[in-house]
Amino acid sequence: MYAYFDRDNIALRGLAHFFKESSYEERDHAQKFMEYQNKRGGRVKLQSILMPSSEFDHPEKGDALYAMELALSLEKVTNQKLINLRNVAEQSNDIQMVDFVDSNFLAEQVESIKKISEYVAQLRRVGKGHGVWHFDQMLLHEGDGAA
């Protein structure tokens, strides 16, 4: 999504920045799981994954809303998988794993879902046109305290 919004013919730098930072955060989560797996004596086995979409233009919703809705659905799926993992750990009396998931992921996941849900609501209000540019500018300046 970062690469799409960073393209010269899309040029929504705020959205590009948001998705790039989200990518770094998800990579950090993956590394935490790999380090934890190794620490517990397990083996990390990476497998191929499907290539994600590279185009997000949607006739009715527009690209910004469509991409943000996809991001929201991914966050919700990830949250459910973390809850499932926590439940398995709890059923197995693996208190260390329960603590690892609770302290590293679940609260942050809820915050991400809330934030992206708000972005989806805002993008639904602004529509596909000029409002998306204003939303993008808000995202672009969010980190510097201007928003």
Side-chain angles (χ1 to χ4, degrees):
M1 291 183 200
Y2 154 70
Y4 174 81
F5 289 105
D6 191 52
R7 288 181 358 195
D8 64 346
N9 64 327
I10 305 298
L12 292 170
R13 291 179 28 225
L15 283 156
H17 178 75
F18 171 79
F19 287 119
K20 185 177 185 180
E21 292 300 312
S22 296
S23 165
Y24 289 153
E25 180 183 322
E26 296 307 325
R27 189 174 336 153
D28 181 55
H29 290 174
Q31 288 173 340
K32 282 182 183 178
F33 271 114
M34 288 187 282
E35 289 167 5
Y36 187 77
Q37 183 81 359
N38 285 336
K39 193 182 293 185
R40 296 282 305 261
R43 299 290 178 261
V44 174
K45 294 181 180 179
L46 301 177
Q47 299 178 9
S48 296
I49 59 172
L50 294 175
M51 187 173 114
S53 297
S54 60
E55 297 295 320
F56 297 96
D57 194 22
H58 189 277
E60 290 103 39
K61 297 178 182 183
D63 51 5
L65 175 58
Y66 181 61
M68 203 59 77
E69 285 178 342
L70 286 174
L72 179 59
S73 69
L74 287 170
E75 290 290 343
K76 288 180 176 181
V77 166
T78 300
N79 188 58
Q80 188 57 55
K81 289 183 182 285
L82 287 167
I83 289 169
N84 294 347
L85 175 62
R86 187 197 185 284
N87 289 341
V88 168
E90 194 169 47
Q91 291 167 3
S92 302
N93 293 318
D94 189 344
I95 305 220
Q96 187 179 28
M97 179 63 139
V98 170
D99 179 61
F100 175 73
V101 173
D102 284 349
S103 61
N104 286 288
F105 302 103
L106 287 179
E108 186 178 311
Q109 204 64 37
V110 170
E111 289 174 20
S112 290
I113 289 170
K114 169 106 168 65
K115 180 179 179 180
I116 296 173
S117 292
E118 289 172 353
Y119 289 165
V120 166
Q122 292 167 1
L123 284 165
R124 284 180 180 154
R125 274 189 222 104
V126 302
K128 294 190 304 184
H130 190 69
V132 171
W133 181 84
H134 283 286
F135 177 84
D136 183 71
Q137 293 301 297
M138 182 268 310
L139 280 182
L140 192 59
H141 299 293
E142 196 170 68
D144 63 16

